[in-house]
Amino acid sequence: MTEIYDFGKTCKGEKTCLFQITNMQGAFATVTNYGCTLVSLFVPDKNDALTDVCLGYETLQEYEKSDGYLGMLVGRCANRIAKGKFSLNGKNYTLAVNNGVNHLHGGINGFSSKVFGFEVKGNTIKFTAVSDDGEKGYPGKITLTACYSFTDENELILKYNAVSSEDTIINITNHTYFDLNGQGSGHAMEQKAMIFSRGITEIDENLIPTGKIISPEKNSPFDFSNLKPLCRDLNADNPQLKIAGGYDHNFVLNGDYDSSYGIFGLRKAAYLVGDDTSIAMEVYTTQPGMQMYTANFLTDRKGVIRKRYTKNAGVALETQNFPDAINHKEFPSPVLKQGEIYSHTTIYKFLTV
Ligand code: GAL
């Protein structure tokens, strides 16, 4: 069942809504069409108490004015594009830069701050938005649909589709910060994680991939082949961790393909457990990478229900193509050709262990 509430007007006067999708178990997700943002996600803990496992704000104004992309859909291209420059079909393009000299998450006012059109059907909301030809410097007019479902099995299913009027590049993700101990618990880094990957894309001092893939040694900071608390190696003496002030790296996924959802190319990406609540989350995706970001740049701010968030208040598991892929021939291509369809599915499934 999906209920729709008024979420106020943006500073430009656009009306927004807050949707609550409640499943048969009483668990629910709230989402706004401002940036297709996941505002809260209440799932049962080991005692069956509903627990909000994602960081969010109470008002639209906080979403509009705050950085950090809490819960938002980001794009046209998630993560960084070096110096905002790339070439496609022999033409050079320069994108708006918003992160030092680099382009980040589609630039200021990318998809994360658009008000999406919507259509509700049962436990699914289909959001639609357009990014015009030339917006932020990208070629082609993109029409993006994002279908968000929350199932009776406590699965949050995110399905993205996009088409472009011209050849372009695209990389859409969701930027939810998870704290399975309950949002604002103050010990999100004690969550345990396991990642199905063969390594990370190495970054330089500007957090831009060098092109090299680092395969971690057993038990080293980037080895998540066994479940371990995020805090175990967070401050380890490791050059990649030092650059980013924690984890802020793209993991090259190599998990087993999973046919249970009938979605082509869907594989297991990660597994996260809240040590306090015993809430666990399985992540599945059709994308080749996943940015694990331990909120290293998150500054102190007010969250929901008297909670405060600060550095390391959650972990984002952003399923995506590799950052700056257009400038690395060896990475999977982010090109969306005119007439083709971009499609990406990510599933976050919740259970208790
Ligand atoms: C992450 C990115 C971080 C930071 C954050 C937003 O996806 O990897 O470096 O920019 O978004 O604050």
Side-chain angles (χ1 to χ4, degrees), residues 98-144:
N98 59 328
N99 187 250
V101 295
N102 300 317
H103 177 83
L104 174 73
H105 292 331
I108 293 173
N109 302 328
F111 276 121
S112 57
S113 48
K114 282 189 191 289
V115 177
F116 283 64
F118 61 87
E119 215 178 287
V120 175
K121 231 186 229 166
N123 66 351
T124 299
I125 311 163
K126 180 179 175 187
F127 295 109
T128 309
V130 164
S131 172
D132 288 325
D133 184 17
E135 213 174 300
K136 310 288 167 228
Y138 285 101
K141 172 183 165 186
I142 283 194
T143 306
L144 172 70

Side-chain angles (χ1 to χ4, degrees), residues 22-329:
T22 308
N23 72 12
M24 296 289 273
Q25 301 191 41
F28 61 94
T30 65
V31 180
T32 169
N33 58 335
Y34 179 78
C36 286
T37 302
L38 182 65
V39 172
S40 68
L41 186 54
F42 283 83
V43 291
D45 71 0
K46 60 183 173 199
N47 302 317
D48 256 350
L50 287 179
T51 307
D52 184 3
V53 293
C54 69
L55 275 53
Y57 302 118
E58 272 159 22
T59 64
L60 174 66
Q61 284 65 42
E62 289 164 289
Y63 281 104
E64 279 192 282
K65 69 165 205 261
S66 309
D67 64 1
Y69 301 89
L70 271 65
M72 291 171 162
L73 178 155
V74 299
R76 297 163 68 150
C77 275
N79 211 281
R80 292 174 178 79
I81 294 181
K83 301 194 169 70
K85 291 196 185 301
F86 68 96
S87 67
L88 182 63
N89 300 337
K91 238 178 119 178
N92 295 328
Y93 293 94
T94 303
L95 303 174
V97 296
N98 59 328
N99 187 250
V101 295
N102 300 317
H103 177 83
L104 174 73
H105 292 331
I108 293 173
N109 302 328
F111 276 121
S112 57
S113 48
K114 282 189 191 289
V115 177
F116 283 64
F118 61 87
E119 215 178 287
V120 175
K121 231 186 229 166
N123 66 351
T124 299
I125 311 163
K126 180 179 175 187
F127 295 109
T128 309
V130 164
S131 172
D132 288 325
D133 184 17
E135 213 174 300
K136 310 288 167 228
Y138 285 101
K141 172 183 165 186
I142 283 194
T143 306
L144 172 70
T145 63
C147 286
Y148 285 23
S149 311
F150 187 54
T151 71
D152 291 337
E153 285 72 44
N154 294 333
E155 295 144 327
L156 180 71
I157 303 182
L158 311 179
K159 284 188 179 183
Y160 311 94
N161 275 289
V163 289
S164 178
S165 62
E166 268 180 55
D167 292 1
T168 191
I169 57 172
I170 190 165
N171 187 15
I172 303 292
T173 193
N174 177 274
H175 208 290
T176 295
Y177 295 86
F178 292 100
D179 182 354
L180 302 185
N181 284 325
Q183 58 85 21
S185 75
H187 50 102
M189 292 300 104
E190 276 153 51
Q191 295 179 93
K192 293 180 186 149
M194 185 166 165
I195 303 176
F196 304 94
S197 101
R198 65 180 178 90
I200 55 159
T201 45
E202 183 188 59
I203 47 171
D204 68 13
E205 61 287 353
N206 294 314
L207 309 186
I208 300 289
T210 61
K212 190 175 156 201
I213 291 170
I214 303 180
S215 302
E217 312 237 309
K218 198 91 196 124
N219 294 322
S220 66
F222 288 93
D223 175 25
F224 281 90
S225 55
N226 291 309
L227 203 59
K228 71 173 177 192
L230 292 168
C231 59
R232 200 189 84 178
D233 300 321
L234 191 63
N235 299 308
D237 188 12
N238 172 289
Q240 285 291 300
L241 285 172
K242 288 267 182 288
I243 289 176
Y247 293 102
D248 192 356
H249 295 80
N250 173 60
F251 285 74
V252 178
L253 300 175
N254 72 348
D256 289 342
Y257 288 103
D258 187 294
S259 59
S260 52
Y261 291 93
I263 295 165
F264 180 74
L266 192 78
R267 58 173 13 148
K268 222 178 197 167
Y271 181 64
L272 190 70
V273 184
D275 55 306
D276 255 9
T277 55
S278 296
I279 296 172
M281 177 174 85
E282 293 172 351
V283 184
Y284 300 86
T285 189
T286 56
Q287 291 297 288
M290 185 188 78
Q291 187 83 10
M292 179 162 85
Y293 172 55
T294 46
N296 315 323
F297 301 124
L298 201 74
T299 48
D300 184 63
R301 65 195 62 200
K302 184 175 137 294
V304 286
I305 334 179
R306 297 184 302 279
K307 291 286 167 52
R308 292 204 76 84
Y309 307 143
T310 188
K311 185 174 175 185
N312 302 141
V315 63
L317 298 175
E318 306 157 54
T319 49
Q320 59 178 11
N321 194 352
F322 299 0
D324 200 28
I326 188 63
N327 292 314
H328 291 276
K329 293 272 169 303

